[in-house]
């Protein structure tokens, strides 16, 4: 039978029985036709759970006859027939230790050694070896060495992807393949528009694993190209793409918008790992996407049992970090409390601390669990596991303690021992926008006339640092900043630069929100000076007028 007609008929068959009946009617087959038949059987009989009808396929006389010929006539096969058969038999879960598989592999490796394989053949053999032996397979390096001599410009997208996958497992830092990678990156840049969702994801993942931070044009092109594929990525593929965005520090507003459209529609069927990676992406990029956060909240409320404790924490922590309560907050945190009661011991100590700390940022107080957190046993667990009791961990513990003291006066459980408390909080929000503070100080000098009437970066006994502090006496006179007697009111100016807000938003981050809340509870009058209110003020006089209205809305007097 003519090969073209054979494959046309073969591809129209939908069960192994139909395929075997068809093969029985063909008197003579080339090895390419026979391997194509095995490929088609693997397509119709294999799903995510493996071979659907093992006995019907593996015990079939036609199938066994095909395998017999491939095993004992492997040296007579064409390269395509040999390697296509090998790939199909791997999909069909044929025992890798069988004489059939050993014969095909041995023949493939022998032809590799003789340099007889084309790029397509090399890719097929590499794919088979990765599947059978994993990244530790020594022959993969031999395949990559042969690849270096080939004309990369003529490779198909599939061949490009396969080479990235092999390099991913064979390249070790400082080894000899960077020249090949540079050529490959250059060729890939020219074919980005042809890449499918699967290929886009694989290449981005390879670039991450291979630390290709210098391939900026390719990374940028792939990230832009991935936007149109968002609805079509599988869960694992989307995870790879999100990890690439995070690793390379790339930001693409239209990509975020595409994810924002996709997630709410898919949340109930999306794998928990994908959901938690989307939330991690939003959290690390400081993106407050209310549609995503609201959908994730609903997803957790309806089906949190399918999430691991790590995934639950990764989904909840961004709510605190980005200072957002969804409409379903009441149900969400009731669900979280239930999870903590039933699965408390399943949480890793550091994960649990981050989770409970994120809750207090948005005024959700885990008082039922704090006795365990402040217990010597739990603190020892924290100390025993990396990163131990470092500055960030002790900051979170101290902030939990301070929150209980200031906001939960009814709490009567154990407190955090003084030796675990820090003197000053260390958070991303604690850093000031130097340029912004300088402009505000210049405006204050214009307003108050003398530098002695305000102090900057003032440490308090309560672990927080105040950006700018102004003291007033009982009659409302401004006092010198160094004066400690007769201080009736303390004004804390919070000069909030962009780093204290969610990206492209006026929503204050959780760390800064809790700081301003606590300063108020500690007796300060908190005056927020956000960047977006003063960016447009062109000179000292306008800044002074703005500060006058913010700090002294009625009047002010100097004690001089």
């Amino acid at each position: 039978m003519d090969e073209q007609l054979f494959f046309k008929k073969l591809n129209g068959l939908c069960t192994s029985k139909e395929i075997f009946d068809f093969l029985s009617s063909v008197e003579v087959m080339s090895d390419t036709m026979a391997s194509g038949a095995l490929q088609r059987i693997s397509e119709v009989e294999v799903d995510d759970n493996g071979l659907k009808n093992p006995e019907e396929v593996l015990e079939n006389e036609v199938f066994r006859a095909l395998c017999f010929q491939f095993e004992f006539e492997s040296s007579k096969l064409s390269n395509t027939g040999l390697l296509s058969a090998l790939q199909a038999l791997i999909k069909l879960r044929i025992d890798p230790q069988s004489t059939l598989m050993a014969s095909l592999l041995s023949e493939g490796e022998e032809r590799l050694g003789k340099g007889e394989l084309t790029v397509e053949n090399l890719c097929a053999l590499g794919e088979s070896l990765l599947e059978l032996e994993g990244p530790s397979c020594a022959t993969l390096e031999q395949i990559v060495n042969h690849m270096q001599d080939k004309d990369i410009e003529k490779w198909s997208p599939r061949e490009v992807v396969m080479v990235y996958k092999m390099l991913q497992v064979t390249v070790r830092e400082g080894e000899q393949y960077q020249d090949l990678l540079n050529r490959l990156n250059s060729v890939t840049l020219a074919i980005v528009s042809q890449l499918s969702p699967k290929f886009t994801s694989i290449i981005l993942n390879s670039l991450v694993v291979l630390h290709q931070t210098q391939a900026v044009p390719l990374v940028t092109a792939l990230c832009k190209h991935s936007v149109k594929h968002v609805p079509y990525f599988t869960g694992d593929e989307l995870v790879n793409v999100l990890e690439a965005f995070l690793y390379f520090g790339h930001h693409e507003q239209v990509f975020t918008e595409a994810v924002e459209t996709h997630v709410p529609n898919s949340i109930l069927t999306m794998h928990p790992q994908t959901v938690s990676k989307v939330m991690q992406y939003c959290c690390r990029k400081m993106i407050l996407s209310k549609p995503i956060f609201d959908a994730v909240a609903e997803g957790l409320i309806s089906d949190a049992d399918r999430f691991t404790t790590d995934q639950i924490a990764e989904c909840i922590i961004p709510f605190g970090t980005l200072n957002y309560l969804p409409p379903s907050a009441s149900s969400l945190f009731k669900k979280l409390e239930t999870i903590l009661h039933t699965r408390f011991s399943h949480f890793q100590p550091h994960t649990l601390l981050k989770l409970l700390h994120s809750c207090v940022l948005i005024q959700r107080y885990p008082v039922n669990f704090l006795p365990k957190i402040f217990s010597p046993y739990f603190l020892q667990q924290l100390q025993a596991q990396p990163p131990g009791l470092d500055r960030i961990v002790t900051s979170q513990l101290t902030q939990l303690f301070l929150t209980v003291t200031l906001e939960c006066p009814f709490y009567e459980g154990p407190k955090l021992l003084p030796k675990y408390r820090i003197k000053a909080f260390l958070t991303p929000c604690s850093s000031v926008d130097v340029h912004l503070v300088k402009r505000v100080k210049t405006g204050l000098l214009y307003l108050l006339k003398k530098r002695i009437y305000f102090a900057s970066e003032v440490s308090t006994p309560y672990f927080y640092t105040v950006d700018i502090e102004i003291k007033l006496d009982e009659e409302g006179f401004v006092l010198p900043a160094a004066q400690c007697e007769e201080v009736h009111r303390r004004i804390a100016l919070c000069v909030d630069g962009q780093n204290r807000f969610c990206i492209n938003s006026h929503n204050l981050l959780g760390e800064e929100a809790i700081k301003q809340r606590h300063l108020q509870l500690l007796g300060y009058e908190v005056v927020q000076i956000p960047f977006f209110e003063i960016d447009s003020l062109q000179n000292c006089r306008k800044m002074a007028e703005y500060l006058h209205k913010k700090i002294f809305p009625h009047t002010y007097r100097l004690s001089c």
Side-chain angles (χ1 to χ4, degrees):
M1 184 182 289
D2 173 66
E3 276 199 14
Q4 197 172 353
L5 178 61
F6 173 86
F7 281 110
K8 185 178 179 183
K9 287 190 175 184
L10 180 68
N11 291 329
L13 304 176
C14 298
T15 67
S16 58
K17 185 179 183 309
E18 290 176 350
I19 295 169
F20 291 136
D21 288 345
F22 169 59
L23 295 178
S24 299
S25 70
V26 180
E27 291 184 12
V28 180
M29 274 187 288
S30 67
D31 64 347
T32 315
M33 292 159 73
S35 63
L38 290 177
Q39 289 274 12
R40 184 60 185 159
I41 293 167
S42 72
E43 288 168 8
V44 301
E45 287 294 337
V46 177
D47 59 19
D48 292 340
N49 299 314
L51 198 54
K52 289 186 256 185
N53 305 298
E55 287 186 12
E56 285 182 27
V57 175
L58 303 181
E59 299 300 322
N60 184 277
E61 288 181 9
V62 177
F63 180 78
R64 295 179 74 170
L66 285 173
C67 290
F68 183 86
Q69 281 194 295
F70 276 113
E71 180 177 345
F72 292 101
E73 297 184 11
S74 59
S75 61
K76 299 176 183 176
L77 301 173
S78 67
N79 289 340
T80 302
L82 171 74
L83 296 166
S84 295
L86 183 60
Q87 288 180 305
L89 293 167
I90 290 169
K91 286 181 191 172
L92 289 164
R93 312 291 201 273
I94 302 300
D95 181 7
Q97 306 302 320
S98 66
T99 53
L100 166 62
M101 298 297 278
S103 174
L104 295 176
L105 277 171
S106 173
E107 184 62 32
E109 290 177 0
E110 187 177 330
R111 296 184 192 189
L112 170 67
K114 293 177 180 177
E116 295 175 357
L117 302 182
T118 65
V119 171
E120 187 178 359
N121 300 151
L122 289 167
C123 287
L125 181 59
E127 194 168 23
S128 298
L129 289 168
L130 271 173
E131 190 71 34
L132 284 175
E133 300 181 33
S136 59
C137 176
T139 312
L140 289 171
E141 201 160 335
Q142 197 179 344
I143 294 173
V144 172
N145 285 331
H146 279 281
M147 287 289 189
Q148 293 196 93
D149 302 326
K150 304 295 182 182
D151 187 356
I152 293 181
E153 282 71 20
K154 295 178 181 176
W155 291 0
S156 69
R158 183 181 172 280
E159 289 161 352
V160 165
V161 166
M162 195 59 236
V163 175
Y164 271 116
K165 285 174 75 173
M166 285 190 286
L167 284 168
Q168 190 172 323
V169 297
T170 56
V171 169
R172 287 172 288 280
E173 203 165 340
E175 289 211 358
Q176 70 270 35
Y177 298 119
Q178 190 56 53
D179 284 345
L180 174 59
L181 268 167
N182 291 340
R183 288 160 59 207
L184 195 59
N185 292 342
S186 178
V187 166
T188 306
L189 181 59
I191 61 166
V192 164
S193 61
Q194 302 171 37
L195 298 176
S196 66
K198 181 180 179 180
F199 288 175
T200 303
S201 170
I202 289 171
I203 294 174
L204 277 171
N205 179 241
S206 295
L207 293 173
V208 170
V209 174
L210 294 164
H211 310 298
Q212 295 297 289
T213 50
Q214 81 290 348
V216 176
L218 176 57
V219 170
T220 303
L222 286 166
C223 287
K224 286 179 182 293
H225 181 64
S226 67
V227 174
K228 70 177 185 180
H229 290 323
V230 167
Y232 311 108
F233 284 127
T234 65
D236 288 343
E237 288 165 2
L238 183 56
V239 167
N240 283 344
V241 173
L242 291 168
E243 284 178 342
F245 269 86
L246 291 172
Y247 179 80
F248 292 110
H250 191 78
H251 181 71
E252 198 73 51
Q253 180 61 29
V254 285
F255 176 81
T256 302
E257 290 168 3
V259 173
E260 197 169 68
T261 302
H262 174 61
V263 170
N265 297 329
S266 315
I267 193 72
L268 297 178
T269 55
M270 198 174 271
H271 191 278
Q273 178 62 24
T274 312
V275 177
S276 61
K277 183 58 69 174
V278 168
M279 290 300 279
Q280 187 188 359
Y281 167 80
C282 289
C283 193
R284 292 258 300 274
K285 294 283 190 182
M286 300 300 179
I287 298 167
L288 175 55
S289 168
K290 293 181 181 180
I292 291 175
F293 279 48
D294 292 350
V296 170
E298 293 292 345
L300 284 172
I301 292 164
S302 65
D303 198 10
D305 291 343
R306 66 193 186 102
F307 288 73
T308 66
T309 50
D310 279 351
Q311 289 165 349
I312 289 167
E314 285 169 355
C315 288
I316 295 289
I317 288 169
F319 286 94
T321 304
L322 304 189
N323 188 28
Y324 177 67
L325 285 171
S328 58
S330 177
S331 300
L332 176 63
F333 286 94
K334 278 180 187 173
K335 186 73 174 182
L336 178 60
E337 187 165 13
T338 303
I339 292 166
L340 286 168
H341 276 299
T342 56
R343 299 165 71 181
F344 188 88
S345 61
H346 298 177
F347 284 89
Q348 292 296 314
H350 285 280
T351 303
L352 187 62
L353 176 61
K354 287 178 192 170
L355 175 61
L356 298 185
H357 175 257
S358 72
C359 290
V360 301
L361 297 180
I362 43 178
Q363 296 177 277
R364 291 297 180 269
Y365 310 111
V367 287
N368 294 331
F369 307 99
L370 289 180
K372 292 182 180 179
I373 298 298
F374 293 149
S375 71
Y377 173 69
F378 184 81
L379 294 169
Q380 285 169 8
Q381 283 186 304
L382 285 176
Q383 195 157 17
Q385 295 179 10
L389 290 172
D390 67 3
R391 190 79 185 270
I392 293 173
V393 171
T394 48
S395 286
Q396 291 170 341
L397 285 167
T398 305
Q399 203 156 42
L400 274 175
F401 159 72
L402 188 60
T403 300
V404 167
T405 305
L406 294 175
E407 301 185 61
C408 307
F410 52 85
Y411 175 75
E412 296 179 350
K415 301 289 175 73
L416 183 68
L417 294 173
K419 68 177 182 178
Y420 295 110
R421 302 173 200 167
I422 57 159
K423 293 181 180 178
F425 287 124
L426 179 69
T427 67
C429 288
S430 59
S431 61
V432 296
D433 183 326
V434 178
H435 175 68
L436 206 63
V437 169
K438 186 177 179 181
R439 289 185 62 210
V440 171
K441 284 159 75 172
T442 304
L444 279 174
L445 189 59
Y446 190 95
L447 178 67
L448 301 176
K449 307 305 179 191
K450 291 185 180 180
R451 180 64 181 82
I452 62 167
Y453 291 115
F454 60 91
S456 57
E457 295 190 45
V458 179
S459 297
T460 71
Y462 316 107
F463 320 110
Y464 291 110
T465 300
V466 175
D467 295 334
I468 296 174
E469 184 184 63
I470 297 172
K471 298 174 181 176
L472 304 179
D473 66 12
E474 192 170 357
E475 295 179 20
F477 285 96
V478 179
L479 298 171
Q483 186 170 325
C484 298
E485 300 83 20
E486 299 179 0
V487 178
H488 185 68
R489 293 163 58 199
R490 292 175 186 267
I491 298 173
L493 299 191
C494 294
V495 185
D496 295 328
Q498 289 187 350
N499 66 315
R500 295 182 180 177
F501 292 87
C502 300
I503 195 167
N504 298 330
S505 164
H506 294 172
N507 195 77
L508 208 58
L509 293 173
E511 288 282 4
E512 185 62 19
I514 196 173
K515 170 187 169 181
Q516 296 185 15
R517 196 165 74 237
H518 283 178
L519 287 175
Q520 283 182 316
L521 291 169
L522 290 163
Y524 280 92
E525 292 178 30
V526 175
V527 177
Q528 189 188 9
I529 312 291
F531 74 94
F532 51 83
E533 287 185 1
I534 60 177
D535 271 354
S536 60
L537 303 178
Q538 300 299 323
N539 54 49
C540 284
R541 186 179 59 78
K542 287 187 177 179
M543 178 66 82
E545 287 173 2
Y546 166 83
L547 292 170
H548 184 182
K549 289 174 185 174
K550 290 284 284 194
I551 306 168
F552 310 106
H554 307 297
T555 184
Y556 74 92
R557 287 172 287 174
L558 300 181
S559 59
C560 55

